[in-house]
Amino acid sequence: MHRPPAETCGWNGAMRASRSRSRLLASVVATLAVVLPTILLYPSKTQSHISADGSNRIVSLDDLRFQTSVAVAWMLIGGFAFMMALFYLVNNSDPEIRMYSWKVISSTVNIFCAVLIFAACNRMVEHHLFQHLEEEHKIVSRYAVTVDFGQMLCWIGAMLFVLWFVAYRARRLYDHSNVAEGVHQHHLDVKCWAMLFAHTAGFAAINCFGDLQQQGYFASSPSRAFLIVPITAACLGLLFQVLGELGRALRRRRLLKLGGHFFALWEEETEEAENDITALAISFLTCQALRFHTGGQLPGPEGHEPPAARVVALLACSLFFAVVAVVSVLLLEVKHE
């Protein structure tokens, strides 16, 4: 079979990428050309009435509908631009751009699935176990914190069991197949389930230690609210250390039925999932304490609070953490080199 030369394939790929960029740009410009004049030239139907002292103004319902239409139009433009950008990125000629695009999309879908799974299970637990509690005691009672801690342990245990099952399944299939592509696919399966259950268990940890942060002692001052951060890190670190030693002890007794390579895979993905759980919990609790420190009121366990004018302080905190993250990554790369 005749194959075209490599130069021709590269030229064809470049032409396809160029045409894709041109179509993307043309679609964006066409959408803007249709929607923007409609927004800008649409006459406002505001009707106002000013009294003798000039203090009263009555806004008609048409004006509110017009503002809503403008907001919906901008959301529509943003949605179309976002979808077209996704199609462009996942079909890019550069394989690294395609890979990282799919990674970001997979992580986003994974997080949304984890949120929905945990929210549904948490509502069921609250419905069946918190019926006898009044609404204001469902967060600040010790019973609620105990139930949340048990729920977190259940999700972490489910994560460990599912990772063991998927790794063991990969081991059995690998014994009957030596195809490298199949082995790589099984590794991806383990990573997929590890990420899903890590995020779900991370939200359970946020729910547990977030309710603990709402208790009277920690909610009394911003400095005490910060104390929950090292407490969370110590509790999760001790728990994961115990679970890791238990897993190694079971392997020594051959109860896990995993060989050296697959046990290493299970241990590696479990460690990465535990890091994700700890990072989610600590970051959320730190953000809650910072908002308490800058706003004077501890937000609720889901992050709700009255509006406060402290945008500059929160932006400064986010910029500080971004700089710390970049510097940490650079230092780690220098250390590994």
Side-chain angles (χ1 to χ4, degrees):
M1 181 177 179
H2 177 68
R3 287 174 171 264
E7 294 81 1
T8 304
C9 295
W11 183 81
N12 290 335
M15 288 296 295
R16 286 195 298 270
S18 177
R19 287 196 297 268
S20 177
R21 286 191 293 266
S22 301
R23 286 194 296 268
L24 173 62
L25 180 60
S27 301
V28 173
V29 172
T31 305
L32 292 175
V34 171
V35 178
L36 279 180
T38 305
I39 297 175
L40 297 176
L41 300 178
Y42 188 87
S44 176
K45 296 183 179 180
T46 303
Q47 298 177 0
S48 59
H49 172 73
I50 302 177
S51 60
D53 57 356
S55 59
N56 295 328
R57 181 176 185 272
I58 301 174
V59 181
S60 68
L61 186 60
D62 290 341
D63 189 28
L64 297 178
R65 289 175 178 173
F66 172 73
Q67 295 176 5
T68 303
S69 301
V70 172
V72 171
W74 279 112
M75 288 295 297
L76 185 62
I77 293 174
F80 273 115
F82 180 74
M83 292 300 297
M84 288 186 292
L86 281 184
F87 280 119
Y88 169 70
L89 290 174
V90 298
N91 292 283
N92 196 278
S93 57
D94 191 341
E96 289 190 358
I97 293 180
R98 294 198 303 269
M99 179 186 69
Y100 287 113
S101 299
W102 282 115
K103 279 189 175 182
V104 171
I105 294 172
S106 300
S107 299
T108 305
V109 173
N110 196 294
I111 290 175
F112 276 106
C113 290
V115 168
L116 294 176
I117 292 172
F118 173 73
C121 294
N122 189 47
R123 293 299 182 187
M124 289 179 60
V125 170
E126 291 179 352
H127 175 74
H128 291 289
L129 298 182
F130 293 168
Q131 286 183 346
H132 62 284
L133 295 178
E134 297 181 1
E135 190 65 31
E136 60 270 13
H137 295 302
K138 288 184 178 181
I139 298 174
V140 298
S141 67
R142 296 180 180 177
Y143 173 74
V145 175
T146 304
V147 172
D148 293 337
F149 188 79
Q151 187 178 191
M152 181 189 70
L153 291 180
C154 290
W155 279 112
I156 293 176
M159 178 191 73
L160 296 175
F161 174 76
V162 169
L163 291 184
W164 168 82
F165 177 78
V166 176
Y168 181 63
R169 174 177 172 269
R171 176 181 181 273
R172 292 187 60 186
L173 293 177
Y174 181 70
D175 290 340
H176 296 86
S177 175
N178 294 322
V179 181
E181 184 177 354
V183 176
H184 177 67
Q185 182 62 41
H186 298 318
H187 287 194
L188 293 180
D189 291 342
V190 177
K191 288 181 180 293
C192 168
W193 289 106
M195 186 180 298
L196 177 62
F197 275 87
H199 287 129
T200 309
F203 294 130
I206 288 174
N207 184 56
C208 171
F209 292 103
D211 285 352
L212 181 61
Q213 195 179 38
Q214 299 292 324
Q215 303 301 308
Y217 177 79
F218 297 107
S220 60
S221 66
S223 58
R224 292 181 178 179
F226 272 108
L227 289 178
I228 200 66
V229 176
I231 292 175
T232 302
C235 291
L236 291 177
L238 180 61
L239 175 62
F240 294 148
Q241 184 69 25
V242 171
L243 292 175
E245 293 296 331
L246 179 61
R248 283 185 283 271
L250 290 175
R251 180 176 178 268
R252 283 193 294 267
R253 295 191 178 187
R254 297 183 179 180
L255 295 179
L256 284 176
K257 299 180 181 179
L258 292 177
H261 171 70
F262 294 97
F263 180 80
L265 173 64
W266 176 78
E267 195 172 32
E268 176 186 354
E269 295 302 327
T270 300
E271 182 179 356
E272 187 173 348
E274 292 169 351
N275 291 337
D276 289 342
I277 295 171
T278 307
L280 281 173
I282 290 178
S283 61
F284 178 80
L285 297 173
T286 303
C287 181
Q288 291 282 89
L290 284 173
R291 293 168 67 186
F292 189 11
H293 181 73
T294 56
Q297 180 178 356
L298 180 65
E302 296 181 353
H304 299 303
E305 64 172 337
R310 59 181 195 280
V311 178
V312 177
L314 293 178
L315 285 176
C317 293
S318 63
L319 181 61
F320 169 76
F321 284 113
V323 171
V324 171
V326 172
V327 172
S328 301
V329 171
L330 293 178
L331 290 178
L332 286 176
E333 290 181 354
V334 171
K335 182 179 178 180
H336 287 304
E337 288 178 358

